């Protein structure tokens, strides 16, 4: 006798009842890119629907997304002046600190995550202080200024910090610094498994963070390494991370599942700019049913084990979910 799997597929209500994976608006963190000025909302050519915004426009965007049920954002700062150590990110009057304070004052119910890195703030586009001899980032020198940056974010009112530079020891460094400064309850969402990926191209347009020399392969992960990918995340868990992350998402769902099976921590994925841009282009050229494929992609992240999805699609998905309700 064979099993009739179709019995539970013939009625739409029964399909809903037995559905194993569901996407909700509460799954999402929406990335926003902030720069100085006023009345600035500049669309990024490679990422339709994504903007560089001045703080006043970010506050308007928060008004809009809250109406859709989105209450979690991750902020990226774009300074007017960049230097070798990303000084703007270490200053309490820098763009990211100003943005955090403004959002928390205008929208105290908004959950503000901050990306903690230096690539947007340095004139060389790398994620920390450069070791001139090795022509790569000096890990331990970067840990020192990362701790300073974390305190700036915390004092400004960040609700969670997300270090993305892939420096060894970053989680224990930040945890010690935050705890010592009285921020022991501030969570850390680690970019714990972040690959040296070709999917980041459009992000570098919006964040103006393309490296001026070389690449980031000496600190971001080799896409070919599965066991190392799991070890990176487990190491960050042991150092005190509160949430782990895999970035990019779509080409690494096997890694998401394996880490999920080896940790009890919540799992995030970053649905990155290249993934977003590909679907946008395919949809604009009528190659796919855009909304259907976007939702199918989000389901795939959840099914693989993601609890949190950082996505430029978040606002669109929230609108899709409203239409379904």
């Amino acid at each position: 006798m064979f099993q009739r799997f179709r019995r539970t597929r013939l009625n739409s209500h029964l399909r809903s009842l037995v559905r194993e994976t569901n996407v909700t608006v509460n799954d999402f963190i929406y990335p926003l890119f902030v720069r100085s000025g006023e009345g600035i909302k500049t669309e990024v050519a490679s990422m339709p629907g994504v903007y560089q915004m001045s703080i006043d426009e970010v506050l308007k965007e928060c008004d809009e997304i809250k109406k859709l049920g989105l209450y979690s954002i991750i902020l990226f700062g774009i300074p007017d002046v960049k230097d070798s150590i990303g000084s703007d990110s270490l200053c309490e009057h820098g763009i990211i600190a100003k943005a955090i304070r403004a959002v928390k004052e205008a929208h105290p119910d908004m959950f503000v995550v901050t990306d903690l890195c230096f690539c947007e703030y340095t004139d060389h586009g790398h994620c920390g202080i450069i070791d001139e001899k090795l022509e790569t980032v000096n890990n331990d020198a970067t840990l020192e200024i990362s701790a300073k940056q974390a305190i700036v974010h915390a004092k400004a009112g960040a609700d969670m910090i997300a270090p993305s530079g892939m420096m060894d020891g970053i989680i224990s460094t930040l945890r010690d610094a935050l705890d010592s400064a009285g921020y022991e309850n501030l969570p850390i969402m680690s970019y714990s498994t972040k690959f040296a990926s070709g999917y980041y191209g459009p992000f570098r347009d919006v964040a103006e963070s393309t490296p001026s020399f070389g690449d980031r392969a000496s600190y971001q992960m080799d896409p070919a390494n599965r066991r190392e990918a799991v070890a990176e995340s487990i190491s960050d868990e042991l150092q005190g991370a509160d949430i782990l992350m895999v970035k990019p998402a779509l080409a690494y769902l096997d890694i998401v599942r394996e880490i999920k099976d080896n940790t009890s921590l919540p799992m995030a994925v970053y649905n990155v700019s290249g993934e977003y841009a590909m679907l946008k282009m395919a949809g604009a050229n009528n190659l796919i049913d855009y909304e259907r494929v976007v939702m199918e992609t989000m389901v795939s992240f959840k099914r693989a084990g993601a609890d949190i999805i950082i996505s430029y699609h978040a606002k669109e998905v929230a609108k899709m979910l409203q239409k379904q309700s």
Side-chain angles (χ1 to χ4, degrees), residues 17-294:
L17 286 170
V18 300
R19 185 165 294 133
E20 298 176 29
T21 305
N22 290 284
V23 175
T24 77
V25 71
N26 296 321
D27 298 326
F28 290 91
I29 298 175
Y30 190 37
L32 294 174
F33 297 87
V34 60
R35 66 179 319 140
S36 62
E38 191 171 346
I40 297 171
K41 189 174 181 180
T42 306
E43 190 170 26
V44 181
S46 58
M47 296 181 71
V50 175
Y51 301 85
Q52 293 182 344
M53 290 183 276
S54 52
I55 291 175
D56 58 314
E57 293 295 331
V58 166
L59 299 183
K60 293 177 187 176
E61 187 71 5
C62 289
D63 277 323
E64 187 173 341
I65 63 174
K66 282 165 62 174
K67 293 174 185 176
L68 297 169
L70 285 170
Y71 282 83
S72 298
I73 59 173
I74 182 167
L75 290 177
F76 296 85
I78 306 165
D80 289 332
V81 178
K82 304 187 180 195
D83 61 22
S84 62
I85 63 167
S87 297
D88 189 88
S89 67
L90 303 172
C91 174
E92 293 185 14
H93 302 290
I95 184 60
I96 195 69
K98 287 180 180 177
I100 298 165
R101 287 194 295 268
V103 172
K104 293 303 293 184
E105 181 178 352
H107 299 280
D109 54 348
M110 185 67 71
F111 187 78
V112 178
V113 185
T114 56
D115 177 80
L116 190 150
C117 194
F118 292 95
C119 60
E120 304 106 299
Y121 304 94
T122 55
D123 52 13
H124 47 72
H126 281 280
C127 298
I129 295 174
I130 296 298
D131 184 322
E132 300 293 345
K133 292 182 180 179
L134 298 177
E135 294 186 341
T136 187
V137 174
N138 183 311
N139 192 95
D140 293 1
T142 300
L143 291 181
E144 291 184 21
I145 59 172
S146 296
K148 294 178 182 178
Q149 188 182 161
I151 300 303
V152 169
H153 291 196
K155 285 182 177 179
D159 295 300
M160 184 161 68
I161 291 174
S164 61
M166 287 297 285
M167 296 297 111
D168 293 336
I170 186 66
I171 302 303
S172 59
T173 296
L174 297 187
R175 189 71 274 159
D176 288 346
L178 291 168
D179 290 357
S180 297
Y183 297 103
E184 62 275 2
N185 292 319
L186 188 63
I188 298 173
M189 177 172 65
S190 173
Y191 287 65
S192 53
T193 297
K194 180 178 177 181
F195 293 91
S197 171
Y199 282 96
Y200 302 146
F203 174 90
R204 292 170 184 174
D205 293 337
V206 64
E208 299 179 5
S209 61
T210 302
S212 61
F213 66 91
D215 56 32
R216 297 180 179 138
S218 65
Y219 45 101
Q220 294 178 356
M221 279 205 54
D222 186 338
N225 290 2
R226 177 183 61 82
R227 289 175 297 178
E228 184 185 11
V230 177
E232 283 269 12
S233 279
I234 299 306
S235 174
D236 280 8
E237 178 180 15
L238 294 173
Q239 290 178 51
D242 299 286
I243 299 171
L244 305 176
M245 186 199 302
V246 173
K247 179 181 180 182
L250 197 55
Y252 298 92
L253 295 182
D254 59 321
I255 305 299
V256 176
R257 171 46 58 189
E258 189 156 1
I259 295 172
K260 183 70 172 182
D261 288 343
N262 282 278
T263 181
S264 60
L265 292 184
M267 277 293 303
V269 294
Y270 200 132
N271 177 207
V272 299
S273 60
E275 298 165 358
Y276 173 86
M278 287 191 300
L279 291 192
K280 279 291 185 182
M281 182 170 289
N285 287 278
N286 296 315
L287 300 175
I288 58 171
D289 180 335
Y290 177 75
E291 290 194 0
R292 182 177 178 181
V293 171
V294 168

